[in-house]
Amino acid sequence: MSRPYDSMEPKVMDDDMLKAAVGEQGPQEEAGQLAKQEGILFKDVLSLQLDFQNILRIDNLWQFENLKKLQLNNNIIERIEGLANLIHLVWLDLSFNNIEVIEGLDTLVNLEDLSLSNNRISKMDSLDALVKLQVLSLGNNQISNMMNIIYLRRFPCLRTLSLTGNPISEAEEYKMFIYAYLPDLVYLDFRRIDEQVRETAKLKHQYSIDELKHRETQMQIKLEEEQAKQKELAEHKMAFVEHLNGPFLFDSMYSEDVEGNKLSYLPGVRELLEAYKVKFVIICLNIFEYGLNQQEKRKVELDTFNECIQEAIQENQDQGKLKVAKFEEKHLLETINIFERNITDLVGLFIENVQSLIAQCRDLENHHHEKLLEIAINTLEKILKGEMDEDLPDDVRALFVDKDTIVNAVGASHDIHLLKIDNREDELVTGINSWCAHLVDKIHKDEIMRNRKRVKEINQFVDHMQSELDNLECGDIID
């Protein structure tokens, strides 16, 4: 799609362009002059107009974190990108560009109005995150497949749709299909939908719609189940006990244990393994339950700390700044120190008890190893004496050429199991220690920032009082 200004040199979306745009669109009177003198903070800008700039690439918008309206229409933009930080965006115009694929909108969860008309788009997708979408303009693109309409059923707030000028709009059933499959739509191609015509369309497509609704229901059930699993897993990770609520750790010990799986064919080993697994999983479940319990205690401690901090800050706001500053500083520091001790003690106790439980897993592994080695040696003796009645697979029998070979095979299996147990322990201990250190560090950094803010407020207060005194003195002199 050619533009009358395509022959112009493409422009870079740099700070100079953004500052100029913000300056031109800001207040022009006294307030505007003051803003220019003091500097305009991009984070305070709510609306930005960058149309007809011959922009090739979206860039440098990350500072506009509170932007709600963005106009980028009538440029030569080829890709939707650089918008990830604009999470408060409500209105976005990218019409009259050279965009071929819908992408880069995953974080714009508050977007209500999106215009992508007059581009080169052939497929509707990658809009799933736009749960609040009400208006979608895709006129004059290259959309030809009617199944694109089905995709739009996932947007419950969609009320206005424009697809005029696409190949799809030339289909005989175009409007009736949309009326039937998008029952909540109010406007199509700039015209209000007639309710009687909509009902006729619904009846015509009733059978297909019923089938589609059934499939959608099944998909929604699966989606909700998967989301519930992911939420549960996230909670387990917060407690550092993910995958300990079952046989996962035990199974992982054997997933890469070639020798151990061969040895399971020996007489009596299957029963030995079953008993080992039951006891091992019970310990894992104990770690899991204990981890969730301790996570709840840490959460309560953190919530209580945050409440104390907010109360202290509120007290500072309610009273005179100078009067309460030292009081607040003392009590905040005391609160932080108490919390740091409490959370460190909780983490230390958690690690100590978990390591004790994991030590029981090692004891079970060592006991299993001894029993397995005993069975393997007895089997070797039977094979050497020709007293082995049971048939063994060839790769298992190959381990019994001599004592060193079978001892090494049993030892290799044992080493793999111990390594898996050690790694899970290290993962847990490292994870919670890192969490604790990061949390305490963040709290101290937040307090430093609060202190700087308090000092600034006090200085401003002192300056204000000094100014008031100066004004009083000047008034006395004049009198």
Side-chain angles (χ1 to χ4, degrees):
M1 187 177 299
S2 63
R3 308 274 185 266
Y5 42 85
D6 275 359
S7 58
M8 294 168 55
E9 188 71 22
K11 290 185 182 177
V12 178
M13 209 167 174
D14 56 17
D15 269 6
D16 289 339
M17 176 187 287
L18 296 173
K19 286 176 182 176
V22 171
E24 288 172 7
Q25 296 158 41
Q28 301 300 317
E29 305 301 326
E30 184 178 347
Q33 295 301 318
L34 185 62
K36 288 180 181 178
Q37 291 172 12
E38 295 183 354
I40 302 167
L41 294 176
F42 286 169
K43 70 181 183 65
D44 295 330
V45 176
L46 300 180
S47 178
L48 185 61
Q49 187 174 338
L50 291 165
D51 52 342
F52 295 98
Q53 298 282 340
N54 218 46
I55 295 168
L56 178 63
R57 183 169 178 263
I58 305 171
D59 202 1
N60 289 311
L61 289 175
W62 59 271
Q63 297 177 77
F64 292 83
E65 55 193 65
N66 292 305
L67 198 66
K68 291 191 175 183
K69 182 176 181 180
L70 176 60
Q71 283 182 248
L72 285 166
N73 54 291
N74 290 279
N75 285 292
I76 53 172
I77 296 166
E78 296 178 349
R79 288 191 61 190
I80 306 173
E81 58 186 340
L83 303 175
N85 272 32
L86 311 186
I87 58 173
H88 299 292
L89 208 61
V90 174
W91 193 93
L92 175 61
D93 189 351
L94 283 163
S95 59
F96 293 94
N97 278 288
N98 297 325
I99 298 166
E100 296 183 2
V101 177
I102 300 175
E103 59 185 339
L105 302 172
D106 295 342
T107 61
L108 307 188
V109 295
N110 291 299
L111 200 65
E112 297 177 4
D113 192 317
L114 174 62
S115 180
L116 288 164
S117 59
N118 293 277
N119 277 284
R120 301 171 181 175
I121 296 165
S122 58
K123 183 181 179 182
M124 295 186 217
D125 62 1
S126 302
L127 293 168
D128 299 51
L130 312 187
V131 293
K132 296 182 181 180
L133 190 64
Q134 297 178 20
V135 179
L136 178 60
S137 301
L138 277 164
N140 295 311
N141 275 283
Q142 298 171 11
I143 299 166
S144 58
N145 192 332
M146 200 71 80
M147 288 301 102
N148 283 280
I149 303 303
I150 304 298
Y151 174 75
L152 295 179
R153 285 174 62 83
R154 67 193 66 199
F155 303 102
C157 300
L158 188 64
R159 297 294 179 268
T160 301
L161 175 66
S162 172
L163 289 170
T164 184
N166 283 277
I168 192 176
S169 66
E170 298 171 8
E172 185 179 347
E173 280 293 300
Y174 165 66
K175 288 186 177 180
M176 295 297 277
F177 190 90
I178 291 177
Y179 296 164
Y181 282 90
L182 301 179
D184 296 320
L185 201 67
V186 178
Y187 295 94
L188 174 63
D189 297 337
F190 313 107
R191 290 191 176 185
R192 190 178 182 89
I193 298 171
D194 183 276
E195 290 303 319
Q196 289 185 341
V197 177
R198 191 202 302 273
E199 290 303 317
T200 303
K202 283 182 182 178
L203 289 172
K204 185 175 183 179
H205 293 272
Q206 187 66 52
Y207 180 75
S208 298
I209 290 174
D210 288 344
E211 278 192 335
L212 179 60
K213 283 181 177 178
H214 177 71
R215 290 200 302 271
E216 287 175 340
T217 300
Q218 297 302 311
M219 289 173 63
Q220 185 62 30
I221 290 171
K222 288 182 180 179
L223 177 62
E224 288 174 0
E225 288 175 351
E226 182 60 29
Q227 287 174 340
K229 286 180 183 178
Q230 291 301 319
K231 182 182 178 182
E232 185 179 60
L233 178 59
E235 291 171 354
H236 297 170
K237 286 183 176 181
M238 283 293 294
F240 305 97
V241 291
E242 68 273 16
H243 305 307
L244 288 174
N245 56 331
F248 179 84
L249 180 56
F250 185 89
D251 292 343
S252 73
M253 286 167 22
Y254 282 88
S255 63
E256 300 170 9
D257 181 11
V258 177
E259 307 298 357
N261 285 301
K262 290 178 183 177
L263 293 167
S264 66
Y265 287 95
L266 300 184
V269 173
R270 290 282 182 188
E271 296 77 7
L272 184 68
L273 267 175
E274 287 174 7
Y276 174 30
K277 183 173 183 176
V278 169
K279 293 175 182 177
F280 192 96
V281 171
I282 287 173
I283 296 172
C284 287
L285 288 171
N286 287 338
I287 296 172
F288 177 77
E289 294 296 336
Y290 177 66
L292 292 184
N293 178 268
Q294 290 299 299
Q295 163 62 11
E296 188 59 33
K297 288 184 178 180
R298 292 193 296 271
K299 184 178 181 299
V300 169
E301 188 68 35
L302 183 56
D303 288 346
T304 303
F305 168 74
N306 286 329
E307 286 174 9
C308 291
I309 291 294
Q310 290 305 314
E311 286 174 6
I313 292 171
Q314 187 61 46
E315 187 176 0
N316 183 25
Q317 292 172 347
D318 293 342
Q319 300 185 35
K321 297 287 190 299
L322 286 171
K323 179 181 175 183
V324 82
K326 289 186 178 179
F327 172 82
E328 180 202 355
E329 183 179 351
K330 177 184 175 184
H331 282 264
L332 277 176
L333 190 58
E334 186 178 321
T335 302
I336 290 170
N337 289 337
I338 291 172
F339 170 76
E340 187 174 345
R341 283 197 302 271
N342 290 348
I343 204 72
T344 302
D345 288 346
L346 279 173
V347 168
L349 180 64
F350 174 65
I351 290 173
E352 182 182 339
N353 288 333
V354 166
Q355 287 180 324
S356 175
L357 288 167
I358 291 178
Q360 294 178 31
C361 290
R362 283 196 197 87
D363 290 341
L364 281 176
E365 169 57 30
N366 290 331
H367 178 73
H368 175 75
H369 168 66
E370 292 170 3
K371 292 289 184 182
L372 181 60
L373 185 59
E374 184 181 327
I375 292 172
I377 295 298
N378 290 337
T379 302
L380 176 64
E381 290 174 355
K382 286 183 179 181
I383 290 174
L384 292 177
K385 291 177 182 178
E387 299 175 354
M388 188 68 186
D389 296 329
E390 295 86 349
D391 287 331
L392 296 175
D394 292 341
D395 58 341
V396 177
R397 188 172 285 275
L399 298 173
F400 292 89
V401 292
D402 55 41
K403 187 175 181 180
D404 286 344
T405 303
I406 191 60
V407 168
N408 288 339
V410 175
S413 174
H414 181 49
D415 290 343
I416 288 172
H417 298 175
L418 288 178
L419 182 62
K420 289 284 186 179
I421 294 170
D422 290 346
N423 285 346
R424 187 62 184 92
E425 180 183 22
D426 290 344
E427 182 184 345
L428 187 151
V429 172
T430 302
I432 193 163
N433 276 331
S434 176
W435 171 83
C436 185
H438 176 75
L439 176 64
V440 171
D441 183 56
K442 183 179 181 301
I443 287 170
H444 282 291
K445 285 181 178 177
D446 288 347
E447 176 58 13
I448 289 170
M449 293 303 294
R450 271 195 298 269
N451 283 333
R452 288 175 180 171
K453 185 179 178 182
R454 283 198 298 271
V455 169
K456 183 178 178 181
E457 288 174 348
I458 291 168
N459 287 337
Q460 287 174 340
F461 178 76
V462 170
D463 290 344
H464 173 72
M465 294 304 296
Q466 185 62 52
S467 177
E468 290 291 315
L469 287 171
D470 291 344
N471 289 337
L472 284 172
E473 289 174 2
C474 288
D476 291 343
I477 291 170
I478 292 170
D479 292 341

